[in-house]
Amino acid sequence: MVRWTADELRQAFIDFFVSKGHAHKPGSSLVPKNDPTILLTSAGMVQFKPYFMGTETPDVRRVTTYQRCLRTGDIENVGSTDRHATFFEMLGNFSFGDYFKEEAIRWAWEFVTERMELPRERLWATIYLDDDEAFQIWHEQIGLPRERIVRLGKEDNFWEIGVGPCGPCSEIHYDRGPQFGCGRDDCRPGCDCERFMEIWNLVFIQFYQDEAGQLTPLEQKGIDTGMGLERAASILQGVGSIFEVDLVRPILDEVARLAGTRYGADPEKDVSLRVITDHLRGIVFLVYDGVLPSNEGRGYVLRRLLRRAALHGRLLGLEEPFLGALVGRVVEQMKAGYPELLAQQEHIRQVIDWEERRFGETLDQGVQLLEEALNRVEAQGTKVLDGEQVFRLYDTYGFPVELTKELAAARGVEVDEAGFQQQMELQRSRARAAREATGYMGKPGVERYAELAREVPPTRFTGYERLEEEAQVLALLVDGQPVVEARAGDQVEIVLDRTPFYAESGGQVPDRGTLTGPGGQVEVEDVQRPVAGVVVHRGRVRSGRIRRDEVVLATVDAHHRWDTARNHTATHLLHQALRDALGQHAHQAGSLVHPEYLRFDFTHFQGLDRGQLRELEEEVNHRILQALPVTTTEMAYEEAIAAGAIALFDEKYGERVRVVAIGEYSKELCGGTHVHSSAQVGPFKIIQEGSVAAGVRRITALTGHGTLKLVTELDEGWDRLARLLGTTRDQVPQQVERLAAQVEELQGKLQKMLDQQATSLADQLLERAERVNGAAVVVASLPGLGKEQLRAMGDRVRERLRSAAVLLGTERDGRVQLVAMATPDLVAKGFHAGRVVQAAAKEVGGGGGGRPDMAEAGGRQPERLEQALAVGKETLKAQLGAAAGLAGDGPTPGEP
C-alpha cells in the first residue's frame, strides 16, 4: 500500500478522475443552497440533486469533488467505534446520463488497487440482491471471487427516496483482519463488527419509482459515488481508527493535552476524546458555513454537537470553556483542503466560545429543573424519577444522564432507566424513519408535490393586486392522498389555478382566510410552496363539502394581511437605518414578519445601547412620516444589483427579480407584501434588543395596531404605578427616586454591619489556625453563607497570612459549597487547591476543581460536610508534608 497523507489521498482521487474526463467542481457548503428540503449536506451528490431529479440540465456530464459532510444519524455510535463520525469528507465521482456501472466499478477498482495499492485479497464487494449485472462485472470483468461478492437487501444496498429516481448500490469493503472481528466463521461485510470497513459506495441510479412502488428504467441513468476520506486514509496509514489518521490525530492529541490525559491510557476517556475531536471538526465547519447556534434546524444541530462536546470535556475534567482554544488546531489540520478557513478562524472561535459559555448557564438551569423534579418525587413518595423527565433533561437541556443519576442517588431517588432508554429508542426510531424516508436527496413529501407539479399547471399568484379571487380547485388532498371530495371536519390541502394567498416565504408568515365553494367553505390556516409552481392551501373544511375541479372564492383575511405588510415594510426601513448607523457589515441574518410584531436579526457583535435604539426609532419614524412611496419593479438580477438593491444572503434569486423601493431611502430584492406608502406603517416602536448568536443581534418591534396597543397598556400601567405610590402621574419619577435613595441608604448600613461581622469571623478563624511545616492551615465550616460570601471569607483569611492553606465549607438550602485557597509561596512549591476540594467533594456526593491557588466544589449531602472537611484537611496536610522546602520561618497564627 502507498503511505499517503490524507491531503495526498484527497488530491490523488481528484487527479485520477480528472484523468478520466471528469471536471473538478468545488465542494459545496454544509448548508444546501436553494434547497429547503435538506437540512445539511450529508453526501457529495447533494449539490447535484437537481441533475438527478431532472429539474436542471448539467453543464458537464462527468464531475468529481471532495465534499465536507455532516450526518447525525449515528451520533450515539461516535467515539465507541473505529469508523463512525458526524463530520467527514466524501470523495466522489458522478455521471449525469454519461457512463454507468461498468466504468464506475472498473475505475473504483483501478483506484483502490493500482493507485492506493490495497491488497486485492483483502477487498470485498457488496451488491444488491438481484443485481446480476453488477455481479457479472465484479466477478467476470474485475475477477473478484464470487465468495467475496456479498448480496445484501434493500436496507443496505438499494438507494431510494420514495417516489423518484432510485437504484441499487455496490460497496467496496476492506478486510482489516480477524483481530477486529466478532469471531464468527461466517463474518463478512454486513456484519456489525469492526472487521470489514466500507470505504466506497457506488450508487447506480437506473430506475424511477412511482407511488405504487413500480420501477421503470430511466432513459438517463446516473452514477453517484462516495469514498470516505478518513476511512480510506486509516487503511493506507495502518492505524486502528479514523481518529488516528494524520488529518485528525493532532486535534485529538491537543484535546488530550488540555485534559491532562493521554489517548489510549483509559478506554472511557478515549471515547470522550473521540467525541470532542469529531464534533469539533463539524462545529468549525458549520460556523464557517454560516450556521449559528439556535433551537431549531441547522442551528440546533450545531448547538447539540457543541453541547455534547462540552459535556464530554467535563467528563475529562475540563470545567471551563475550552473548545474555542482548539479552533486553531482544526484550521491548521484542514487548511490544505480548505484554505478559506484561515480568514474566518477568529470569527469561528468567538462563536464557539460564546455558545459554550452560554451552555454553562443552561447546565445550571438543568440542575435547577432536576432539583424541582426530585422535590416532586419526594413529595409524592415514589422515590423514582420518571424516565421521560430524565430524557427531557438530556435532550432539551443537554444534561448528562450520569449526572442525573448521581444527583438523584444523593437524594435517595432512583432513575427510571428503562423509561429513559425507551424514550431514547423512540428518538432513534424517529431518526431512522426520517433517514430511511429521506435518504440523502430530500423529503419524500416534496417529491409528491413535484409529481403534482408535473400534473397541474403552476399556480398564479395574484395577491399583490387583490385580496379576493375566483379560482379553480386543481388538486384536493386528505392525509396526503388525492381525493375528489372532502367534507366538514377534514384537514385538507388544496391547490388552485390562481390564488391571492401569500405562501410563507422570506420570513413572512402566510396569509389566512377562506375558500368558499358552491357547497361548503374551507378555513385556510397555512399556505406553503413546497416546490416551484405549487401553492398548497392547508386548512379544515369548516362547513359542507369541497370538490376537485369546482370554482371557489379565495378570500384573504385583510386585517391579517395589512398588519403583516406594515411590519414587512418596517423591516426594510429598519434594515437601512441599521446599515446607516452601524456600517455596511450590519446585514440581515434572518427575520420574522408577523401581523402582531416584527423580528429582525442582523450581524453585529455589540449590543445597542438605549441611545442607539432611540436614534433608530427616530430614523424609522422619520421615514414613515415622510410618506415615502413604496414601489415594486421587476428587472434583471444584475441590473437590480447594479442599481444598489440589497440581496439577502443565501436567498434564491432567478434571472428576473422583484425590487421593493421605499422612496430613494431603501431598495431590496423582495417577494413579500408591502404597504403602498411608508405612512401606512404607523408608529414604529422597538420593544427588545438582544443577542441570538455570536455576532448576531435581534430587534423586536411593533408597528400600527401593535404600537397603539402598547401605548394603551403603558398608559394604564403608569396610572396603576401612581396609585401604588400614592402620588400623581407627574410625580412618579420623583417618588421612585426618593424610595431608591432610602433603599441605598439601608443597603449601605446593612453592608457595613455584614463587613463588621465578617471581620470578626475572620479574626476567629485566624485564632484557630494550625501550623503545618511552617504554613498556617485554616479549615472550618461556616453554615449559612452563600457561595460568594464563602469565597470572600477565604480571601480575607488568606490575605492576612503570608503563608497559608485554607479550606472552608458551608451548607445552605440543602447544598454544600467548598472553597480551597493557598498563598503564592505554597503554590510555587507544588501545592494545588483543586486536589483538596476534589477529595472533599467526593465525601458529599459532588465534584469540582480549579486553579492551584483557588478551587471550588459542590455537593448534595450536607450531613457529611464535617467528614468532607476532615478528608480535605488530610489531603491538604499531605500536600504540605510532601512538598520539599515547605518548612521554614512563617507567621504565627493570626499574624498579618
Side-chain angles (χ1 to χ4, degrees):
M1 292 185 289
V2 297
R3 294 293 179 180
W4 283 333
T5 66
D7 289 333
E8 290 170 340
L9 172 58
R10 186 194 295 119
Q11 190 59 51
F13 184 95
I14 297 299
D15 292 344
F16 175 80
F17 280 101
V18 168
S19 75
K20 301 298 184 184
H22 293 64
H24 176 207
K25 297 279 189 179
S28 63
S29 166
L30 284 176
V31 178
K33 294 292 189 292
N34 306 324
D35 191 346
T37 70
I38 300 177
L39 193 64
L40 292 164
T41 298
S42 58
M45 59 72 59
V46 166
Q47 65 170 309
F48 306 121
K49 173 184 168 182
Y51 304 157
F52 288 114
M53 297 292 288
T55 58
E56 293 183 19
T57 302
D59 56 345
V60 291
R61 295 290 179 176
R62 297 181 182 185
V63 169
T64 184
T65 67
Y66 62 87
Q67 175 65 55
R68 53 191 180 273
C69 302
L70 200 142
R71 300 178 185 175
T72 58
D74 294 316
I75 193 170
E76 299 298 334
N77 293 323
V78 173
S80 301
T81 73
D82 295 334
R83 65 188 188 277
H84 285 104
T86 58
F87 177 85
F88 59 96
E89 288 187 76
M90 184 177 284
L91 310 174
N93 59 287
F94 308 91
S95 167
F96 314 120
D98 187 11
Y99 62 85
F100 199 48
K101 286 185 188 179
E102 182 178 346
E103 294 89 342
I105 292 174
R106 179 158 44 82
W107 289 337
W109 184 255
E110 179 182 346
F111 186 77
V112 297
T113 59
E114 297 182 18
R115 299 299 176 91
M116 293 175 66
E117 300 179 4
L118 298 186
R120 298 175 182 235
E121 66 274 11
R122 303 189 77 166
L123 293 172
W124 292 60
T126 64
I127 60 173
Y128 181 54
L129 282 173
D130 61 2
D131 192 356
D132 294 331
E133 181 184 5
F135 179 87
Q136 183 272 330
I137 297 171
W138 277 116
H139 181 52
E140 298 182 14
Q141 297 188 39
I142 300 300
L144 195 64
R146 63 174 61 246
E147 61 270 18
R148 295 216 308 272
I149 305 173
V150 181
R151 294 178 185 262
L152 297 177
K154 264 197 169 186
E155 182 177 345
D156 296 294
N157 275 65
F158 194 94
W159 174 77
E160 60 181 341
I161 56 167
V163 175
C166 62
C169 310
S170 181
E171 301 167 336
I172 299 176
H173 293 253
Y174 182 79
D175 183 358
R176 303 168 71 203
Q179 67 273 26
F180 292 95
C182 57
R184 292 181 5 219
D185 293 337
D186 61 346
C187 182
R188 61 181 188 169
C191 181
D192 289 333
C193 73
E194 299 272 22
R195 176 171 178 172
F196 295 93
M197 182 175 285
E198 176 203 337
I199 59 173
W200 205 337
N201 187 19
L202 317 175
V203 180
F204 311 127
I205 303 175
Q206 65 186 97
F207 300 111
Y208 182 88
Q209 181 169 264
D210 62 22
E211 292 179 349
Q214 297 296 317
L215 299 179
T216 304
L218 290 170
E219 291 184 12
Q220 296 283 332
K221 296 179 174 61
I223 289 294
D224 160 25
T225 85
M227 171 187 275
L229 174 65
E230 294 84 356
R231 290 188 180 187
S234 72
I235 294 170
L236 290 180
Q237 296 172 17
V239 295
S241 76
I242 61 174
F243 298 95
E244 298 168 52
V245 302
D246 67 307
L247 198 65
V248 182
R249 180 62 185 263
I251 304 171
L252 185 148
D253 287 341
E254 184 68 8
V255 178
R257 187 191 67 78
L258 286 180
T261 187
R262 179 177 57 83
Y263 183 62
D266 184 329
E268 289 188 9
K269 289 184 177 180
D270 285 351
V271 170
S272 293
L273 291 172
R274 287 178 167 194
V275 170
I276 294 169
T277 300
D278 165 75
H279 288 8
L280 183 63
R281 296 209 310 152
I283 291 164
V284 166
F285 275 95
L286 281 170
V287 177
Y288 167 72
D289 282 326
V291 179
L292 295 169
S294 70
N295 287 328
E296 57 187 15
R298 301 176 184 103
Y300 176 72
V301 174
L302 171 58
R303 177 163 285 169
R304 184 185 181 199
L305 290 177
L306 196 149
R307 290 184 173 186
R308 290 187 93 246
L311 284 170
H312 278 275
R314 294 200 174 208
L315 294 177
L316 294 173
L318 295 168
E319 298 290 334
E320 297 298 319
F322 68 97
L323 293 172
L326 294 163
V327 171
R329 172 56 64 185
V330 177
V331 172
E332 180 66 24
Q333 292 305 115
M334 304 301 294
K335 68 181 182 182
Y338 307 91
E340 314 86 17
L341 281 172
L342 286 166
Q344 294 295 322
Q345 180 173 328
E346 181 57 23
H347 167 71
I348 295 169
R349 187 198 63 76
Q350 288 179 338
V351 171
I352 292 173
D353 189 62
W354 180 88
E355 176 65 16
E356 190 176 3
R357 292 185 185 280
R358 279 195 62 188
F359 176 52
E361 301 170 4
T362 302
L363 201 59
D364 293 338
Q365 185 180 4
V367 171
Q368 181 180 348
L369 290 171
L370 177 58
E371 287 292 327
E372 294 172 359
L374 292 173
N375 289 338
R376 288 194 297 270
V377 168
E378 290 178 342
Q380 296 165 359
T382 60
K383 291 298 182 181
V384 176
L385 184 61
D386 180 69
E388 189 172 345
Q389 177 68 37
V390 178
F391 176 77
R392 179 170 174 265
L393 285 167
Y394 167 80
D395 190 53
T396 305
Y397 296 95
F399 204 70
V401 178
E402 294 77 11
L403 187 54
T404 298
K405 290 164 65 176
E406 180 181 327
L407 298 183
R411 297 271 294 267
V413 176
E414 295 181 9
V415 168
D416 174 19
E417 293 192 55
F420 171 76
Q421 291 299 333
Q422 183 180 18
Q423 292 296 320
M424 286 292 293
E425 185 54 41
L426 285 173
Q427 185 189 59
R428 293 190 189 104
S429 297
R430 289 191 293 267
R432 281 195 298 269
R435 291 199 305 275
E436 290 166 3
T438 304
Y440 52 89
M441 198 178 269
K443 299 177 182 177
V446 173
E447 177 55 31
R448 182 182 68 209
Y449 295 121
E451 181 68 21
L452 192 60
R454 291 189 282 268
E455 296 174 356
V456 300
T459 302
R460 186 163 70 88
F461 177 60
T462 62
Y464 292 138
E465 300 85 26
R466 60 184 71 91
L467 298 183
E468 195 168 81
E469 181 76 73
E470 285 193 345
Q472 183 180 15
V473 178
L474 299 181
L476 179 63
L477 294 88
V478 175
D479 295 329
Q481 299 301 316
V483 296
V484 174
E485 178 182 279
R487 301 188 178 189
D490 286 344
Q491 286 289 142
V492 295
E493 294 180 304
I494 297 174
V495 179
L496 305 174
D497 66 335
R498 63 185 63 203
T499 183
F501 282 85
Y502 181 83
E504 183 175 10
S505 179
Q508 179 174 330
V509 300
D511 283 332
R512 65 187 185 194
T514 58
L515 301 178
T516 306
Q521 188 175 71
V522 174
E523 184 173 355
V524 177
E525 302 162 346
D526 184 26
V527 187
Q528 297 292 328
R529 186 182 288 104
V531 296
V534 176
V535 176
V536 179
H537 305 73
R538 293 171 177 155
R540 181 179 297 276
V541 181
R542 190 162 63 185
S543 62
R545 62 186 67 186
I546 196 85
R547 295 182 61 84
R548 190 181 63 201
D549 296 330
E550 70 183 8
V551 174
V552 297
L553 182 64
T555 306
V556 173
D557 182 330
H559 183 79
H560 182 278
R561 161 69 80 84
W562 282 111
D563 278 349
T564 304
R566 289 185 180 92
N567 283 325
H568 202 152
T569 303
T571 64
H572 287 220
L573 293 170
L574 176 60
H575 193 186
Q576 188 59 50
L578 282 165
R579 291 169 68 87
D580 290 344
L582 304 178
Q584 298 305 297
H585 71 276
H587 61 77
Q588 182 173 335
S591 69
L592 175 63
V593 181
H594 191 276
E596 296 178 5
Y597 61 93
L598 67 90
R599 199 173 69 198
F600 190 82
D601 298 347
F602 59 100
T603 52
H604 191 60
F605 261 104
Q606 293 179 317
L608 306 185
D609 59 35
R610 289 186 178 182
Q612 290 174 301
L613 293 176
R614 189 176 299 112
E615 288 176 4
L616 282 173
E617 275 187 359
E618 290 175 354
E619 172 65 11
V620 173
N621 281 309
H622 172 64
R623 301 300 176 177
I624 289 171
L625 292 173
Q626 283 184 315
L628 301 173
V630 180
T631 59
T632 60
T633 310
E634 283 197 7
M635 61 180 71
Y637 175 81
E638 292 78 8
E639 181 185 355
I641 299 301
I646 298 174
L648 302 184
F649 171 76
D650 220 20
E651 281 287 331
K652 181 178 181 179
Y653 298 108
E655 293 183 4
R656 302 286 296 177
V657 294
R658 182 171 181 261
V659 179
V660 176
I662 307 176
E664 296 298 320
Y665 180 67
S666 165
K667 190 178 294 183
E668 290 190 25
L669 307 189
C670 180
T673 63
H674 292 268
V675 294
H676 303 306
S677 166
S678 64
Q680 294 175 301
V681 171
F684 173 84
K685 179 65 181 176
I686 295 174
I687 59 173
Q688 189 175 23
E689 189 275 342
S691 174
V692 290
V696 178
R697 310 294 300 180
R698 171 174 293 171
I699 284 178
T700 304
L702 305 174
T703 66
H705 294 110
T707 305
L708 295 176
K709 180 181 177 183
L710 176 65
V711 170
T712 300
E713 292 172 350
L714 291 174
D715 193 55
E716 293 173 349
W718 197 261
D719 283 339
R720 182 168 178 266
L721 185 58
R723 289 196 301 272
L724 289 172
L725 293 173
T727 187
T728 58
R729 285 179 53 161
D730 61 321
Q731 289 297 312
V732 165
Q734 293 88 335
Q735 182 68 1
V736 171
E737 287 174 357
R738 284 194 292 271
L739 290 174
Q742 292 175 15
V743 170
E744 184 177 359
E745 181 183 357
L746 291 172
Q747 287 177 334
K749 292 179 179 178
L750 176 61
Q751 186 60 50
K752 185 177 180 180
M753 182 177 66
L754 291 174
D755 288 343
Q756 291 172 346
Q757 292 178 345
T759 299
S760 175
L761 182 56
D763 289 340
Q764 296 175 35
L765 292 176
L766 291 172
E767 291 173 1
R768 292 162 50 188
E770 301 179 34
R771 305 286 297 177
V772 177
N773 291 336
V777 174
V778 177
V779 178
S781 171
L782 305 175
L785 293 189
K787 185 177 180 179
E788 298 299 325
Q789 294 171 310
L790 191 70
R791 186 188 301 127
M793 183 57 65
D795 284 333
R796 280 176 179 268
V797 173
R798 180 174 56 171
E799 288 168 3
R800 294 176 64 178
L801 295 168
R802 286 202 299 270
S803 180
V806 180
L807 173 62
L808 304 177
T810 186
E811 181 273 323
R812 185 173 180 178
D813 299 328
R815 298 183 62 179
V816 173
Q817 293 292 335
L818 298 162
V819 63
M821 296 181 176
T823 49
D825 65 307
L826 299 186
V827 172
K829 296 173 182 178
F831 188 91
H832 200 299
R835 300 192 193 105
V836 175
V837 294
Q838 286 173 351
K842 288 181 180 178
E843 299 298 316
V844 288
R851 305 186 307 272
D853 63 323
M854 199 281 282
E856 295 177 295
R860 302 289 173 174
Q861 297 173 275
E863 68 278 5
R864 294 183 56 80
L865 176 57
E866 293 301 328
Q867 177 67 19
L869 291 173
V871 171
K873 185 175 183 179
E874 291 303 315
T875 304
L876 184 154
K877 287 183 175 180
Q879 286 199 67
L880 294 178
L886 276 177
D889 294 333
T892 58
E895 182 180 331

